[in-house]
Amino acid sequence: MNATQTNKIEIIKATTSKINEVDFDNLSFGSVFTDHLFECDYINGEWQKPVIKPYAPFLLDPSAKVFHYGQAIFEGMKAYKDEQDAIWLFRPDENYKRFNHSAVRMAMPEVPEEIFMEGLKQLLKLDEAWIKKGIGNTMYIRPFLIATGFGVIANPSDDYKFMIILSPAKSYYSGEVKVLIAEHFSRAANGGIGAAKAGGNYAGQFYPTNLANKAGFQQVIWTDDATHTMLEEAGTMNVFFRINDTLYTAPTSERILDGVTRKSLIEMAKRDGIDVEVRPVLVSEIVAAANNGSLKEIFGAGTAAVVNPIVGFSYQNIYYELPKLKNSFANQLKENLTKIQHKLAYDTFGWTVKL
């Protein structure tokens, strides 16, 4: 390994690359990682010197507070390579703001913008050969922050580790997605941490999702914790409903994540003349719309999946199949968004940022 320093970041390059061992045509999402990672520790109230180094496991004290009290947050971002081999990020400022919003909610230190953005850019430049061109090829970016301070007393950690890892990716979901509307379990509650990308939010979803999987469904559409009458998110995604020619989605709140893809789709739909209503969406109105034929589409939206159509849902042991549309809003919005992200269409919003 040889070490250099770029913009105050120490760079230790891997002596060999794993890239030739990777089948980029058959990637399993989030299971393959690039040659390097970014790391910066927070110790004694100060951020230390950041470093980019070869991807490898690292040691933590068994009493590290991340293991015992769940201080862990993350983000999901993507980078894209255009036909001229330039690398682009999609709305990274939104991910950065949300990351620090999560940090504040979890009593963790905010990461300075210089560390977050410069670390991300330098890491992507170092491993840019892993970013492949073409629609469907992306580099998934996972920034995360964990509590590394030791001791099992129940209080916030003094020390933290901020890291960024990269994973070349294709589609997050494959095949048809059927969902179960939750009647008992909830993803988040008022006053809780639903609006933060905290690891515990996702751990709490696994058990009810496993139950749904055993019943033949791929995901759960979560309902509100108090009444279970309002539809909120679908699995790990924000969710949209099309009744006739209007799109409906729930407003963000303490329970619902402020999704970057979600807000982008809303802006794109309005630009393209699609009626969008951001308001509470009731289970009863979706069931009624399914019964009278006015429910045309349901689809999830998130960084990993972009847009994921849902073919049907179950509620109170009744399954409702959705119509198969040739010109769906889901496909239209996904195509338009991915073209912007890959620089195959003009970015009228100024969302894309060149590396």
Side-chain angles (χ1 to χ4, degrees):
M1 294 184 237
N2 57 337
T4 60
Q5 186 170 329
T6 304
N7 294 334
K8 301 179 182 178
I9 299 174
E10 181 183 7
I11 298 179
I12 306 170
K13 294 183 179 179
T15 54
T16 59
S17 176
K18 303 171 292 186
I19 193 168
N20 292 329
E21 302 170 12
V22 177
D23 181 357
F24 284 91
D25 293 325
N26 295 286
L27 290 168
S28 177
F29 187 90
S31 62
V32 174
F33 298 93
T34 64
D35 291 321
H36 300 88
L37 58 78
F38 174 86
E39 179 180 86
C40 189
D41 290 314
Y42 181 87
I43 301 171
N44 296 326
E46 293 184 354
W47 287 100
Q48 307 300 301
K49 184 177 180 179
V51 60
I52 291 174
K53 62 185 185 181
Y55 187 100
F58 59 94
L59 294 174
L60 282 180
D61 191 289
S63 71
K65 290 183 182 290
V66 64
F67 300 138
H68 302 275
Y69 301 113
Q71 277 187 292
I73 62 168
F74 67 93
E75 267 300 320
M77 310 169 65
K78 282 182 178 177
Y80 309 83
K81 184 176 284 185
D82 68 18
E83 292 304 311
Q84 288 72 46
D85 289 324
I87 300 169
W88 297 82
L89 294 168
F90 182 74
R91 308 189 78 173
D93 55 323
E94 293 291 339
N95 292 103
Y96 172 70
K97 287 188 291 185
R98 190 172 65 182
F99 188 85
N100 277 340
H101 171 81
S102 298
V104 169
R105 180 61 184 86
M106 298 298 289
M108 305 171 84
E110 296 179 65
V111 176
E113 185 172 6
E114 180 181 6
I115 291 175
F116 188 103
M117 292 299 186
E118 192 60 28
L120 173 56
K121 291 175 182 178
Q122 293 297 333
L123 182 60
L124 285 168
K125 287 179 181 177
L126 189 60
D127 282 343
E128 66 175 308
W130 291 73
I131 310 173
K132 302 303 180 181
K133 292 187 288 190
I135 291 285
N137 293 314
T138 64
M139 178 63 76
Y140 184 76
I141 304 164
R142 174 54 64 92
F144 62 99
L145 181 66
I146 59 173
T148 54
F150 63 90
V152 294
I153 185 171
N155 60 13
S157 177
D158 293 322
D159 301 333
Y160 298 87
K161 186 181 292 291
F162 171 61
M163 303 184 76
I164 305 173
I165 54 178
L166 307 176
S167 178
K170 286 188 176 290
S171 175
Y172 186 76
Y173 294 110
S174 59
E176 294 187 341
V177 175
K178 299 178 181 180
V179 297
L180 186 68
I181 292 179
E183 299 177 49
H184 172 71
F185 295 104
S186 295
R187 174 186 175 273
N190 283 326
I193 59 171
K197 280 189 77 72
N201 284 341
Y202 298 80
Q205 296 181 31
F206 293 157
Y207 174 68
T209 302
N210 284 345
L211 295 180
N213 294 162
K214 291 176 182 177
F217 300 90
Q218 285 70 46
Q219 283 293 348
V220 174
I221 293 186
W222 307 105
T223 50
D224 68 290
D225 64 299
T227 66
H228 294 289
T229 60
M230 293 183 287
L231 296 158
E232 303 206 315
E233 292 193 359
T236 59
M237 302 177 287
N238 296 115
V239 63
F240 288 80
F241 305 87
R242 176 185 173 185
I243 298 177
N244 292 319
D245 288 328
T246 299
L247 276 182
Y248 298 86
T249 192
T252 57
S253 66
E254 290 181 316
R255 303 187 307 274
I256 298 176
L257 192 70
D258 186 13
V260 178
T261 303
R262 170 191 175 276
K263 65 177 67 177
S264 302
L265 294 180
I266 291 171
E267 292 184 57
M268 286 180 55
K270 290 178 178 179
R271 180 200 65 182
D272 295 342
I274 298 173
D275 290 330
V276 182
E277 290 191 23
V278 180
R279 63 161 176 80
V281 181
L282 299 176
V283 177
S284 59
E285 67 179 309
I286 295 304
V287 170
N291 281 323
N292 65 32
S294 60
L295 180 65
K296 305 301 183 184
E297 298 180 65
I298 303 175
F299 56 88
T303 298
V306 188
V307 173
N308 204 92
I310 291 167
V311 300
F313 71 92
S314 179
Y315 180 65
Q316 293 185 342
N317 296 318
I318 300 174
Y319 180 70
Y320 302 85
E321 188 83 21
L322 295 177
K324 291 179 171 59
L325 305 178
K326 289 185 178 179
N327 300 307
S328 68
F329 285 175
N331 289 338
Q332 174 186 330
L333 290 168
K334 182 175 184 177
E335 181 179 357
N336 291 343
L337 182 58
T338 53
K339 282 183 176 179
I340 290 174
Q341 291 169 332
H342 287 271
K343 305 304 290 183
L344 296 173
Y346 181 66
D347 178 9
T348 59
F349 301 98
W351 288 335
T352 50
V353 177
K354 193 174 184 178
L355 207 60

